[in-house]
Amino acid sequence: LCCFLKAKCPTPACSLLIGRATLTIMVVYNFKRIQTVPTSNEFIDVVLSKTQRKTPTVIHKGYAIHRIRAFYMRKVKFTQQTISEKLSQILTDFPRLEELHPFYADLINVLYDRDHYKLALGQLAKARTLIDSIAKDYCKLLKFGDSLYRCKQLKRAALGRMCTLMKR
């Protein structure tokens, strides 16, 4: 409605002052769309199996070092991208309390505790940024890997740190 009236939206709940009357539009939210959040072990299994299926799996020590580096960097980046997509999906599925109708916001507060809910979503958002930084750091280190063994150990360390972060 804000776009049709060419007015700026001051809040997510779109309060528009029309003459002397205020028009408030609440976001209609479909709670059935929310998928169940997997446990950390299920999440890790899904991500690592997808990485194994979607990226090349065979590397030989006879390959040129730039090819070996690219192979392992691709695995680290793909894992980071998959985790980031899944966490983003979880974060977008769950509603923001500021955008909900007050009845549903109070219901969430009574059933789950508003602070705990916000804290959980904040931790997921922080985990996503930390995983992005882990992948970026290890890709930098992989660029300077001098052997197949060292690149493989860096990849294992990167995926291990990402999985440990997801377990928390």
Side-chain angles (χ1 to χ4, degrees):
L1 188 62
C2 299
C3 299
F4 292 120
L5 297 175
K6 302 285 187 210
K8 288 190 177 180
C9 179
T11 64
C14 296
S15 293
L16 295 176
L17 190 62
I18 302 172
R20 292 180 188 238
T22 302
L23 174 65
T24 303
I25 302 167
M26 297 312 274
V27 176
V28 177
Y29 197 80
N30 184 5
F31 291 100
K32 292 181 181 182
R33 193 181 70 171
I34 298 175
Q35 297 176 354
T36 57
V37 179
T39 64
S40 62
N41 287 334
E42 290 171 354
F43 192 89
I44 290 168
D45 288 343
V46 167
V47 168
L48 292 180
S49 66
K50 185 174 181 181
T51 301
Q52 187 70 13
R53 281 186 328 222
K54 301 278 186 175
T55 58
T57 54
V58 178
I59 189 84
H60 300 290
K61 62 183 177 184
Y63 289 167
I65 189 67
H66 67 85
R67 190 171 172 189
I68 294 170
R69 289 181 192 139
F71 174 84
Y72 286 115
M73 276 196 289
R74 183 173 175 188
K75 285 201 175 282
V76 170
K77 286 179 183 176
F78 185 84
T79 305
Q80 175 262 325
Q81 182 182 8
T82 306
I83 291 174
S84 188
E85 285 172 1
K86 294 214 175 279
L87 289 178
S88 296
Q89 182 63 40
I90 291 170
L91 288 170
T92 54
D93 278 354
F94 281 88
R96 300 181 73 199
L97 290 178
E98 296 82 24
E99 296 174 354
L100 279 178
H101 188 276
F103 172 76
Y104 293 115
D106 289 342
L107 187 64
I108 286 176
N109 191 24
V110 169
L111 293 176
Y112 189 66
D113 186 28
R114 161 184 253 113
D115 297 332
H116 191 83
Y117 179 81
K118 284 188 148 195
L119 194 73
L121 290 180
Q123 285 175 340
L124 284 178
K126 185 63 178 175
R128 183 177 57 186
T129 59
L130 287 173
I131 284 176
D132 292 345
S133 68
I134 288 170
K136 188 174 113 183
D137 293 343
Y138 274 93
C139 281
K140 279 183 190 175
L141 290 172
L142 276 166
K143 286 180 184 174
F144 300 107
D146 56 353
S147 66
L148 173 76
Y149 180 74
R150 177 144 320 150
C151 290
K152 183 175 183 177
Q153 294 306 314
L154 285 170
K155 188 253 327 177
R156 283 187 63 200
L159 268 54
R161 284 188 62 191
M162 289 181 201
C163 291
T164 302
L165 187 64
M166 288 310 303
K167 283 183 183 176
R168 281 196 254 148

